[in-house]
Amino acid sequence: MAAIAIDVTELRGEIQEFANSLALLVDVIGSGITLSERGQVGLLEFGHYSQQRIIAVEEKLRSYADGNDPS
């Protein structure tokens, strides 16, 4: 199987951005502030968007691992 290249700098940046988003979500949820209805919707959308970003990172890593498996 052919080796697959991965841009580690790009991947590291994506993981760092996700970690920042996760920290924001934890801070907002843990703060106990009351969100408006639109704020609640926005928080859910942001959480969903963040989840999609980490899934994309997982897929890149999985593709890299599968492409570099010595089997």
Side-chain angles (χ1 to χ4, degrees), residues 9-26:
T9 302
E10 178 183 328
L11 191 60
R12 183 179 63 200
E14 290 177 24
I15 292 170
Q16 185 175 6
E17 288 172 7
F18 173 73
N20 294 340
S21 297
L22 182 59
L24 174 63
L25 286 173
V26 170

Side-chain angles (χ1 to χ4, degrees), residues 32-47:
I33 64 171
T34 302
L35 297 174
S36 67
E37 187 174 327
R38 291 184 79 171
Q40 291 174 17
V41 171
L43 185 61
L44 288 172
E45 290 173 349
F46 183 71

Side-chain angles (χ1 to χ4, degrees):
M1 190 173 272
I4 296 174
I6 189 168
D7 185 341
V8 175
T9 302
E10 178 183 328
L11 191 60
R12 183 179 63 200
E14 290 177 24
I15 292 170
Q16 185 175 6
E17 288 172 7
F18 173 73
N20 294 340
S21 297
L22 182 59
L24 174 63
L25 286 173
V26 170
D27 288 350
V28 169
I29 292 169
S31 71
I33 64 171
T34 302
L35 297 174
S36 67
E37 187 174 327
R38 291 184 79 171
Q40 291 174 17
V41 171
L43 185 61
L44 288 172
E45 290 173 349
F46 183 71
H48 178 73
Y49 171 72
S50 296
Q51 184 179 28
Q52 295 306 309
R53 287 172 43 202
I54 197 62
I55 288 170
V57 168
E58 288 175 328
E59 288 174 357
K60 286 180 184 180
L61 287 172
R62 190 174 296 112
S63 176
Y64 173 75
D66 291 347
N68 290 297
D69 188 5
S71 60

